[in-house]
Amino acid sequence: MNKLREDLHLKKFKYDIKKYPFYEYLSTLFGVADLENMHKYLGHFDPFNREQDQYTILHKVFYSNFRLPNSPLQKMYEALIKDFIAPIVSEKFYYQKIPTFRIGLPQNKFVGEFHRDTAYNHQPYELNFNLAIANYKGSAALITEDAAGSKNLISTEIDYGQVMGFDHIGCLHGSEINQTGKTMISMDFRLALAGMYYEDPKVESVNLHSKFIIGDYFSVEVVN
């Protein structure tokens, strides 16, 4: 059991968007002033399933930019982890090296199926945080159980400038068809609590096939 993950579930924390201007950075990266209207430049996609929800051109641009040497996006993300998230967690942890980028297009969904992340090989030593960037509202937001096993599904609206803790292991979650008429943009990332961490080289992420081990999916550096 990971009590810290359960305690953090649905709790929101406000960070300084001037210090961590993710919206402005991605607007410049994608070449649009209004991320909520990104769908107008992407064309039509049939509703995503799990195998498709990480493979738009925006995902490729985001991940390619993040991997660049001295990437400002990577530096901003790591500063958020070390300066903002670390005091919330207080325990020693490793962090997801590359955060997961999400896009929820109108009349589509950003998570291909309802699930618990144990179905995707994630381990009980993990914590999870969601960071809203644009239009994380209404039917565009994540849907999750309000507590592990409760079967009571709720919408998790998050404002830009907020990070929300989330029990991705215990709670069934997913997304509905986005009926807002606007694009949703967010990131999420996982932490591995050092005191609970164990290495199993056989388990890996289902999309990128990264091993859930230190130095591959998780940072070599320990925080806190």
Side-chain angles (χ1 to χ4, degrees):
M1 179 181 295
N2 188 328
K3 188 176 186 303
L4 180 56
R5 186 181 61 244
E6 295 176 355
D7 290 344
L8 289 170
H9 184 55
L10 304 181
K11 287 187 170 61
K12 299 174 184 178
F13 306 90
K14 188 173 179 60
Y15 66 88
D16 186 349
I17 59 175
K18 293 182 179 179
K19 188 173 182 180
Y20 311 104
F22 290 105
Y23 189 105
E24 290 77 5
Y25 185 88
L26 292 184
S27 293
T28 301
L29 179 64
F30 297 146
V32 297
D34 186 352
L35 291 175
E36 291 84 353
N37 286 320
M38 179 61 71
H39 57 282
K40 295 180 180 179
Y41 307 97
L42 288 180
H44 173 75
F45 291 84
D46 291 332
F48 296 138
N49 57 31
R50 188 201 59 74
E51 290 80 10
Q52 300 167 326
D53 64 16
Q54 283 287 302
Y55 289 100
T56 70
I57 185 64
L58 291 189
H59 289 88
K60 293 177 182 178
V61 170
F62 178 93
Y63 292 127
S64 294
N65 183 270
F66 195 96
R67 291 185 175 98
L68 289 175
N70 300 312
S71 164
L73 180 57
Q74 181 182 357
K75 290 180 179 179
M76 193 188 316
Y77 166 68
E78 291 183 349
L80 180 88
I81 293 290
K82 297 171 186 178
D83 300 335
F84 182 78
I85 297 297
I88 294 170
V89 173
S90 71
E91 298 184 25
K92 293 183 182 297
F93 64 84
Y94 306 94
Y95 57 89
Q96 185 174 336
K97 289 171 59 178
I98 303 176
T100 304
F101 176 73
R102 308 285 185 183
I103 178 167
L105 301 171
Q107 300 305 311
N108 212 314
K109 48 190 178 179
F110 70 94
V111 178
E113 62 185 6
F114 275 82
H115 64 282
R116 295 177 179 85
D117 278 23
T118 48
Y120 299 163
N121 302 325
H122 286 277
Q123 302 298 309
Y125 52 70
E126 293 182 0
L127 305 180
N128 186 303
F129 289 90
N130 284 10
L131 186 151
I133 298 173
N135 190 41
Y136 208 97
K137 304 290 181 182
S139 58
L142 182 77
I143 307 295
T144 181
E145 289 181 311
D146 58 1
S150 72
K151 299 183 180 179
N152 183 35
L153 295 173
I154 61 171
S155 176
T156 58
E157 296 194 355
I158 313 173
D159 294 331
Y160 176 50
Q162 289 184 321
V163 174
M164 183 188 74
F166 166 53
D167 184 0
H168 62 307
I169 297 295
C171 292
L172 184 70
H173 59 279
S175 64
E176 303 288 0
I177 294 293
N178 176 1
Q179 306 284 2
T180 68
K182 298 180 180 180
T183 298
M184 186 284 296
I185 301 284
S186 70
M187 301 189 313
D188 51 81
F189 51 89
R190 294 157 183 81
L191 312 179
L193 294 177
M196 297 180 64
Y197 174 79
Y198 55 88
E199 189 164 298
D200 184 348
K202 294 179 292 185
V203 296
E204 61 182 25
S205 63
V206 294
N207 285 321
L208 301 179
H209 303 291
S210 298
K211 299 289 186 182
F212 289 142
I213 59 176
I214 293 167
D216 197 344
Y217 189 86
F218 293 111
S219 63
V220 172
E221 179 183 12
V222 64
V223 179
N224 279 339

